């Protein structure tokens, strides 16, 4: 349940995927971005600001489009993948007797989403039965069944991917490996229920935060008005919604505290859970979720549920109706008519991410088909767009970089032989998952209709939630994926001890079969290194080879580790002037450690590969550069990009990935190999006097 990703997954999908309005034509594909060493600005000094040296020409030639929250080299790959999904869906959407079952589901889902005229004509009526259920709430004792119903008709939050992902109805209920026995799934009850991106948005006291809260209250009122409330009523209800969500935020666990898994490992029996929240009947809730009663539940944040209890006990029933009504409207907005889509984009897109216009409908519909029926879409995508040879080459790269970490462990002068032995056991037990799952999810039980987009979203979400709940108490499947195949991202999961690289990222500029080793090790190699190191960062190192939360470090090795890690968290704690906020190095520590160590082991992997070809890092490569220079430029190239100030602010506050220029400059500034490659001298900005290194 705590997966460490390569890239930020920012807020709701509505915001992340704000894309250019120019559609790729139906059969054509947009260009992929290829690494090009000529792209550097040779008038600049690489030792002064390597991000500027490697990226400024690209950034100048590629300004953030008006409808984008961020723009970088890998965005082009994301767009390429969405166009690829689009092509497969356009074909799958053609009714024909020869369509496979998976194509029928994916194609009809897409077709129902594309039927904008029908969706607009229906207005709010598809959601009316659910809104009526909320309106019929007469007594708070009816909350368990109502909350369970609502949780089963909205898209399940990707709770796995961010340490604090709050989107959801009140709280999250899902399966996850037991911290103390990772072979088995336990039922997890997690904090959620806030409809802004994190608790800081409710609690911070600066002017910008106050301004955003005011805009949020207005947005909630407008959504309620669109749903038929009078203006006066909508204003009052919006105030109640903000007040209840603020109470949830106050009760919720802090994002940095949550990073330490032992802080969220609270196991409660049903009786203890009931005693924690006497006003909410859990037996009836679990029955309504079709979940068997389990001996124990993992309650990540007991204080959050104490706050939840207070709200159930004290808030009047009309406030509860207002909160649930807005939450349902918000979480269903992308499947409703244009006024709801536009109002939702206005706050979550414009205000929170700075995008100016919404992406075209065909892109949104392609993304939602992938979100709702990932394996049906993914199956067609990999058959058409993923070259099988990439999987073989990728496996070789992964093995070479794992070998490099093994060597790094052997030579670490700060680790005892005892801890080294256990680190090797963990590394050997790691499972490498490449491209797509061995077994595809069967969606035959999900009814998909060509004329019922909201219903398709509700039924596919209900199916996924039911699947997760049914796994509680059952063995964990290490081979299940938590990302869909076309996703441009990667993750490490310490509880299954796996590293996972979807097919979507195994394309240029990350992976390019036509480029030399130095370019691939610098790009996808550093990504592989990043994910491997996550197993040994400040979170990952707390899990053993079997994925259990078990300390396998000697006390003195732990102390040495923490000393080294503190150097990194201090280095990354810095003001981000354009966003008006400070980056918290304790929040981004795992990601920064993975970036720093990942590049080291990718470089070691390259050195070994070159050796086998009779070459060295200083050997001349193409374009008048050395192999080592090519490696660092290819590394920087995948991080060329920037965020709008609104999106940067949201990113810094909500999740643990440092902004792109720090992912370049802080990493290389810690490396003597970089100084050597570009002949940088002590005292120059890219040569840190106090260089940090863990791995
Ligand atoms: Zn990561």
């Amino acid at each position: 349940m705590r997966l460490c990703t390569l890239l930020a997954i920012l807020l709701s999908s509505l915001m992340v995927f704000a894309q250019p309005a120019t559609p790729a034509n139906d059969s054509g594909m947009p260009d992929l971005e290829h690494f090009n060493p000529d792209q550097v600005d040779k008038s600049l000094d690489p030792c002064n600001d390597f991000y500027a040296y490697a990226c400024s020409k690209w950034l100048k030639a590629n300004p953030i489009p008006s409808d984008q929250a961020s723009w970088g080299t890998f965005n082009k790959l994301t767009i390429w993948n969405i166009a690829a999904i689009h092509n497969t869906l356009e074909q799958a959407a053609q009714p024909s007797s020869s369509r496979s079952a998976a194509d029928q589901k994916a194609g009809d889902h897409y077709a129902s989403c594309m039927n904008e005229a029908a969706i607009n004509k229906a207005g709010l009526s598809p959601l009316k039965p659910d809104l009526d259920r909320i309106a019929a709430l007469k007594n708070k004792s009816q909350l368990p069944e109502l909350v369970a119903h609502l949780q089963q008709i909205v898209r399940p939050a990707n709770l796995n991917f961010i340490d604090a992902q709050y989107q959801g109805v009140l709280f999250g209920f899902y399966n996850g490996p037991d911290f103390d026995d990772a072979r088995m799934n336990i039922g997890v009850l997690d904090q959620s229920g806030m409809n802004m991106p994190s608790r800081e948005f409710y609690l911070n006291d600066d002017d910008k935060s106050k301004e955003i809260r005011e805009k949020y209250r207005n947005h909630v009122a407008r959504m309620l008005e669109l749903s038929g409330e009078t203006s006066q009523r909508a204003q009052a209800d919006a105030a109640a919604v903000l007040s209840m969500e603020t109470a949830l935020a106050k009760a919720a666990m802090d994002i940095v505290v949550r990073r330490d898994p032992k802080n969220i490992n609270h196991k409660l029996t049903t009786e203890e859970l009931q005693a924690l929240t006497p006003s909410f009947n859990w037996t009836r809730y679990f029955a309504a979720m079709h979940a068997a009663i389990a001996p124990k539940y993992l309650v990540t944040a007991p204080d959050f549920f104490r706050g939840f209890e207070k709200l159930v006990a004290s808030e009047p029933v009309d406030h509860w109706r207002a909160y649930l009504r807005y939450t349902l409207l918000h979480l269903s907005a992308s499947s409703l008519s244009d006024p709801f889509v536009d109002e939702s984009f206005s706050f979550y897109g414009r205000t929170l991410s700075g995008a100016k216009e919404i992406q075209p409908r065909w892109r949104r519909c392609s993304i939602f088909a992938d979100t709702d029926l990932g394996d049906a879409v993914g199956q067609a995508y990999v058959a058409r767009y993923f070259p099988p040879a990439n999987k073989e080459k990728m496996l070789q790269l992964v093995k070479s970089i794992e070998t490099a970490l093994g060597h790094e462990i052997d030579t670490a002068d700060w680790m005892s032989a005892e801890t080294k032995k256990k680190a090797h056991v963990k590394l050997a037990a790691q499972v490498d998952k490449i491209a797509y799952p061995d077994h595809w999810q069967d969606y035959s039980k999900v009814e998909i209709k060509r004329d019922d987009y909201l219903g398709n979203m509700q039924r596919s979400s209900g199916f996924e939630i039911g699947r997760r709940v049914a796994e509680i108490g059952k063995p964990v499947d290490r081979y299940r994926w938590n990302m869909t195949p076309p996703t441009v991202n990667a993750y490490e999961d310490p509880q299954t001890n796996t590293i996972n690289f979807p097919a979507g990222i195994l394309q240029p500029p990350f992976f390019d079969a036509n480029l030399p080793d130095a370019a691939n090790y610098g790009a996808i190699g550093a990504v592989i290194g990043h994910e491997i190191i996550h197993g040994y960062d400040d979170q990952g190192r707390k899990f053993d080879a079997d994925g259990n939360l078990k300390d396998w470090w000697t006390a003195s090795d732990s102390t040495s580790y923490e000393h080294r890690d503190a150097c990194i968290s201090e280095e990354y704690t810095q003001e981000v002037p354009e966003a008006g906020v400070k980056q918290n190095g304790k929040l981004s520590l795992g990601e920064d450690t993975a970036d720093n160590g990942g590049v080291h082991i990718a470089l070691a992997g390259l050195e070994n590969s070159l050796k086998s070809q009779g070459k060295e890092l200083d050997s001349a490569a193409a374009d008048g550069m050395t192999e080592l220079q090519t490696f660092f430029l290819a590394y920087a190239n995948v991080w060329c990009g920037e965020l709008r100030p609104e999106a940067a602010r949201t990113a810094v506050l909500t999740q643990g990935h440092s902004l792109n220029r720090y992912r370049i400059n802080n990493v290389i500034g810690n490396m003597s190999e970089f100084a050597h490659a570009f002949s940088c001298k002590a005292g120059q900005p890219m040569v840190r006097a106090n260089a940090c290194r863990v791995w």
Side-chain angles (χ1 to χ4, degrees):
M1 57 165 295
R2 300 173 69 74
L3 310 183
C4 299
T5 59
L6 174 72
L7 303 166
I9 298 177
L10 268 178
L11 314 167
S12 75
S13 52
L14 272 175
M15 299 169 52
V16 183
F17 294 105
Q19 304 288 4
T22 320
N25 68 50
D26 283 358
S27 57
M29 294 284 287
D31 290 338
L32 280 169
E33 181 78 25
H34 290 268
F35 169 61
N36 173 9
D38 289 341
Q39 206 169 265
V40 302
D41 186 341
K42 297 222 166 88
S43 72
L44 298 175
D45 182 354
C47 306
N48 187 47
D49 179 348
F50 194 56
Y51 173 68
Y53 177 79
C55 297
S56 60
K57 263 170 106 172
W58 191 92
L59 293 171
K60 257 179 230 147
N62 296 275
I64 306 179
S66 69
D67 46 9
Q68 292 288 314
S70 65
W71 197 240
T73 51
F74 72 80
N75 291 68
K76 292 205 172 169
L77 177 53
T78 302
I79 286 188
W80 187 89
N81 277 322
I82 297 169
I85 294 172
H86 178 233
N87 279 352
T88 65
L89 288 170
E90 281 286 342
Q91 201 167 49
Q94 304 304 320
S96 115
S97 53
S98 61
R99 275 199 298 180
S100 69
D103 276 0
Q104 180 271 316
K105 302 285 182 195
D108 287 355
H109 185 291
Y110 172 77
S112 73
C113 175
M114 286 303 288
N115 197 345
E116 193 174 7
I119 291 168
N120 282 335
K121 189 162 172 245
L124 198 56
S125 60
L127 199 60
K128 190 162 182 302
D130 305 308
L131 292 168
D132 286 349
R133 266 188 86 154
I134 295 171
L137 180 76
K138 292 284 176 284
N139 191 309
K140 287 181 279 180
S141 68
Q142 299 166 314
L143 277 172
E145 286 82 6
L146 180 57
V147 169
H149 171 69
L150 297 176
Q151 286 178 347
Q152 291 171 90
I153 59 167
V154 296
R155 288 197 173 97
N158 246 334
L159 286 149
N160 285 329
F161 293 114
I162 309 181
D163 289 329
Q165 164 62 275
Y166 295 100
Q167 183 169 300
V169 183
L170 269 176
F171 56 83
F173 178 49
Y174 51 92
N175 67 304
D178 189 331
F179 281 122
D180 304 303
D181 179 6
R183 293 168 308 172
M184 297 302 289
N185 276 296
I186 189 168
V188 183
L189 287 162
D190 200 4
Q191 62 189 34
S192 177
M194 290 156 267
N195 291 308
M196 281 200 282
S198 78
R199 68 195 286 274
E200 288 71 23
F201 282 80
Y202 297 87
L203 306 180
N204 284 2
D205 210 28
D206 58 287
D207 288 346
K208 186 74 189 164
S209 299
K210 287 177 188 162
E211 180 196 322
I212 289 175
R213 281 199 289 277
E214 188 53 24
K215 287 185 174 170
Y216 177 59
R217 203 175 53 77
N218 289 331
H219 157 73
V220 174
R222 278 194 294 274
M223 287 290 275
L224 292 171
E225 235 184 297
L226 283 173
S227 79
E229 291 191 0
T230 64
S231 167
Q232 199 185 1
R233 176 68 195 275
Q235 289 295 337
D237 280 353
V241 170
L242 181 56
S243 154
M244 284 177 69
E245 291 185 12
T246 304
L248 292 174
K250 281 182 184 152
M253 189 182 284
D254 170 77
I255 191 169
V256 174
V257 178
R258 249 176 99 80
R259 289 199 69 251
D260 187 339
K262 75 174 186 309
N263 291 339
I264 57 170
N265 189 16
H266 307 280
K267 272 184 250 172
L268 272 62
T269 63
T270 315
E271 292 72 32
E272 287 165 338
L273 176 63
Q274 196 55 70
L276 186 69
T277 55
S279 304
F280 188 85
N281 187 315
W282 288 100
T283 309
R284 280 175 29 217
Y285 168 79
F286 291 132
M289 289 296 289
H290 312 289
I293 299 287
K296 286 198 172 185
Y297 296 90
L298 178 70
V299 180
T300 58
D303 281 347
F304 173 82
F305 285 92
R306 284 186 192 100
F308 164 60
E309 162 65 23
K310 269 190 210 155
L311 284 181
V312 180
S314 65
E315 288 289 328
V317 74
D318 62 321
H319 287 184
W320 275 100
R321 284 194 295 261
Y323 167 75
L324 294 173
R325 186 177 181 89
Y326 170 70
T327 300
L328 179 63
L329 287 167
H330 165 51
L331 296 177
S332 311
S334 64
S335 311
L336 296 175
S337 56
D338 286 345
F340 292 95
V341 172
D342 294 343
E343 177 52 43
S344 184
F345 178 76
S346 172
F347 180 71
Y348 293 94
R350 281 192 195 92
T351 302
L352 292 185
S353 82
K356 305 289 184 233
E357 53 186 301
I358 198 163
Q359 65 183 323
R361 188 166 194 95
W362 66 268
R363 278 217 178 106
R364 280 180 277 148
C365 291
S366 302
I367 291 161
F368 289 137
D370 183 49
T371 305
D372 289 347
L373 300 167
D375 276 17
V377 173
Q379 215 169 336
Y381 163 85
V382 296
R384 214 162 146 180
Y385 292 100
F386 182 68
N390 285 9
K391 188 165 177 170
E392 241 349 273
K393 175 76 183 156
M394 182 67 183
L395 266 174
Q396 289 169 14
L397 283 168
V398 171
K399 290 294 166 209
S400 137
I401 295 169
E402 283 171 353
T403 303
L405 177 60
H407 185 69
E408 173 73 29
I409 291 167
D410 288 336
T411 53
D413 59 8
W414 53 275
M415 242 176 143
S416 67
E418 200 182 334
T419 306
K420 285 181 180 184
K421 200 173 152 196
K422 290 186 176 143
H424 274 293
V425 171
K426 177 166 176 170
L427 184 58
Q430 180 187 272
V431 170
D432 310 323
K433 285 151 66 184
I434 316 280
Y436 53 87
D438 295 337
H439 302 288
W440 299 102
Q441 178 70 51
D442 173 13
Y443 294 108
S444 57
K445 293 212 169 78
V446 188
E447 191 186 8
I448 298 294
K449 301 180 188 172
R450 280 182 86 89
D451 60 353
D452 183 15
Y453 179 44
L454 179 80
N456 291 340
M457 183 278 281
Q458 292 188 339
R459 286 185 294 272
S460 49
S461 299
F463 174 78
E464 172 60 13
I465 289 158
R467 184 195 69 71
R468 293 184 189 186
V469 166
E471 284 188 13
I472 294 170
K474 307 245 168 69
V476 169
D477 178 4
R478 290 178 82 188
Y479 293 88
R480 174 169 279 286
W481 283 69
N482 296 70
M483 282 180 184
T484 68
T487 306
V488 184
N489 209 333
Y491 69 94
E492 183 266 348
D493 177 359
Q495 290 181 281
T496 54
N497 195 8
T498 59
I499 50 173
N500 305 261
F501 305 92
I505 199 171
L506 306 181
Q507 302 278 2
F510 288 96
F511 181 93
D512 200 333
N514 298 320
L515 286 182
D517 269 2
N520 278 316
Y521 274 93
I524 195 72
V527 171
I528 297 167
H530 174 106
E531 300 307 340
I532 295 173
I533 294 293
H534 267 315
Y536 308 84
D537 70 14
D538 66 310
Q539 285 183 322
R541 76 177 192 89
K542 292 173 179 157
F543 294 86
D544 68 8
D546 299 323
N548 294 324
L549 183 58
K550 203 164 153 191
D551 192 357
W552 46 274
W553 294 64
T554 65
S556 83
D557 288 341
S558 274
T559 306
S560 302
Y561 182 95
E562 281 161 12
H563 182 71
R564 288 171 164 258
D565 233 14
C567 179
I568 288 186
S569 68
E570 279 159 32
E571 182 180 316
Y572 282 80
T573 297
Q574 57 205 332
E575 294 293 342
V576 184
E578 75 273 24
V581 280
K582 195 171 185 180
Q583 184 164 291
N584 181 352
K586 290 204 167 91
L587 174 60
S588 60
L589 180 56
E591 297 302 335
D592 300 332
T593 303
D595 276 350
N596 278 276
V599 177
H600 272 290
I601 59 173
L603 181 56
L606 171 63
E607 195 171 7
N608 286 335
S609 168
L610 290 173
K611 241 180 233 161
S612 70
Q613 303 164 45
K615 293 191 272 189
E616 292 174 359
L617 289 172
D618 286 334
S619 300
D623 304 295
M625 292 190 301
T626 65
E627 300 280 359
L628 191 56
Q629 288 172 331
T630 306
F631 172 87
F632 282 116
L633 279 172
Y635 170 69
N637 178 62
V638 298
W639 296 116
C640 287
E642 47 190 0
L643 281 83
R644 290 184 183 281
E646 294 88 342
R649 184 180 189 283
T650 300
V652 168
L653 286 176
T654 57
Q655 47 80 29
H657 296 85
S658 292
L659 299 184
N660 289 22
R661 71 170 177 276
Y662 307 124
R663 296 189 80 163
I664 297 175
N665 284 354
N666 288 18
V667 169
I668 56 103
N670 286 325
M671 296 179 78
S672 58
E673 296 90 339
F674 173 80
H676 171 75
F678 290 92
S679 306
C680 304
K681 307 271 177 299
Q684 290 189 281
M686 294 296 103
V687 183
R688 299 189 75 92
N690 176 28
C692 304
R693 176 154 186 195
V694 179
W695 298 108

